[in-house]
Amino acid sequence: MKLIVEPTTEAMSESALHILLGAMMQDKQVNVSLTSGVSPELLYQMMAPAVRDKPQFADIQYWLFDEAPRDDGSHGPNWDAMQDLFFRAANIPDERIHVIDHDNWETYDWQIREAGGLDVMVIGLGWDGHFCSNCPRVTPMDSYTYGVLWEDKRKANPTYPARTGMPWSFTMGPKSLMRVKHLVMIVNGKKKAGILKQVLESPITDELPATVLKLHPNFTLIADADAASELDLEKLPKHRI
């Protein structure tokens, strides 16, 4: 694991942007997976104008790593969020965006492998140690892409809210992420300081699913100073850009 601690969220976003654009400039079809949420908002504000309508990025394929498809057959909230955060502003056509659904979740990893594998993935760290939709006490730690009923997640994690019309949650599992060529996690803000400390200092456990990512052979964690404020940096591997 490579740990990068940046002074601000802006600097954290710039570091992640450099990694993404570097991967995307390869002379081949590049496969990218991006997270939704609050942490990458500034990153996408920087990234959208950098890639919008640029011919060198015209063949980039984007793969969403989790989704909760709606019963009416439409895409779920992750698709909606990524359209709002990045895809619409970057003018990414729908045909270059791949999403997990009821029909393809069992073959999703194979589709990615046939496309050449994921070159880079950016993920966040959930407040309870989840990543993607791999949540505490319901994550099969040896799984590729899998599905789980939302109500089963709520039983294991009672603080999760109820929802209707989206009974299933599909996500790339821990073994799926181990195949990603460069896995990048971004973490920012004081509110994430405690959980980041727990994940980095705890043994691998499904109580904190993100602990398994420490096994990834090319894992870069980029945190701002607030998120890293509880870490003992002298005891952790680190590299500063």
Side-chain angles (χ1 to χ4, degrees):
M1 184 190 78
K2 177 189 295 183
L3 173 64
I4 301 171
V5 178
E6 297 287 10
T8 65
T9 297
E10 181 176 6
M12 177 201 76
S13 302
E14 288 177 346
S15 287
L17 179 62
H18 293 159
I19 292 171
L20 279 168
L21 293 181
M24 292 165 71
M25 289 294 290
Q26 296 178 80
D27 187 20
K28 69 179 190 70
Q29 176 185 305
V30 175
N31 298 298
V32 175
S33 187
L34 302 174
T35 186
S36 59
V38 175
S39 296
E41 286 181 349
L42 186 55
L43 166 62
Y44 297 149
Q45 290 174 24
M46 298 173 178
M47 185 174 171
V51 305
R52 181 183 175 91
D53 300 329
K54 301 293 196 305
Q56 64 267 40
F57 301 124
D59 293 329
I60 303 296
Q61 301 293 309
Y62 297 89
W63 302 77
L64 300 187
F65 52 63
D66 63 4
E67 190 54 283
R70 295 182 173 89
D71 280 341
D72 63 8
S74 62
H75 295 305
N78 195 29
W79 170 278
D80 296 341
M82 286 304 304
Q83 290 289 342
D84 292 341
L85 283 167
F86 176 67
F87 292 140
R88 192 174 298 114
N91 200 26
I92 307 299
D94 290 357
E95 58 266 25
R96 290 203 280 124
I97 306 170
H98 307 267
V99 62
I100 307 173
D101 58 30
H102 291 95
D103 296 325
N104 73 358
W105 68 271
E106 291 180 295
T107 60
Y108 201 65
D109 293 282
W110 177 84
Q111 292 173 38
I112 292 172
R113 190 169 185 174
E114 287 295 296
L118 287 175
D119 294 281
V120 62
M121 175 188 282
V122 175
I123 61 174
L125 176 62
W127 60 273
D128 59 353
H130 75 262
F131 67 95
C132 304
S133 285
N134 295 282
C135 298
R137 294 170 290 280
V138 291
T139 295
M141 301 294 270
D142 61 348
S143 178
Y144 293 103
T145 298
Y146 67 97
V148 62
L149 285 167
W150 182 255
E151 282 306 307
D152 289 339
K153 285 191 177 184
R154 291 193 69 216
K155 290 175 184 176
N157 302 278
T159 59
Y160 286 17
R163 70 183 186 194
T164 58
M166 298 175 288
W168 284 93
S169 177
F170 298 104
T171 187
M172 294 177 70
K175 290 182 76 171
S176 303
L177 269 70
M178 292 299 163
R179 287 181 168 179
V180 177
K181 295 167 189 173
H182 193 175
L183 180 62
V184 181
M185 175 181 279
I186 55 174
V187 190
N188 66 298
K190 282 279 189 184
K191 64 182 180 181
K192 293 290 179 71
I195 192 64
L196 180 59
K197 178 180 174 65
Q198 289 183 58
V199 167
L200 292 185
E201 295 183 358
S202 295
I204 296 167
T205 170
D206 68 352
E207 293 287 328
L208 295 169
T211 53
V212 74
L213 301 178
K214 293 183 289 186
L215 298 177
H216 194 284
N218 189 19
F219 177 38
T220 300
L221 195 159
I222 313 173
D224 69 4
D226 283 341
S229 60
E230 295 186 20
L231 301 180
D232 185 348
L233 296 178
E234 296 304 317
K235 294 183 179 180
L236 293 169
K238 56 183 179 294
H239 174 74
R240 296 177 184 274
I241 291 179

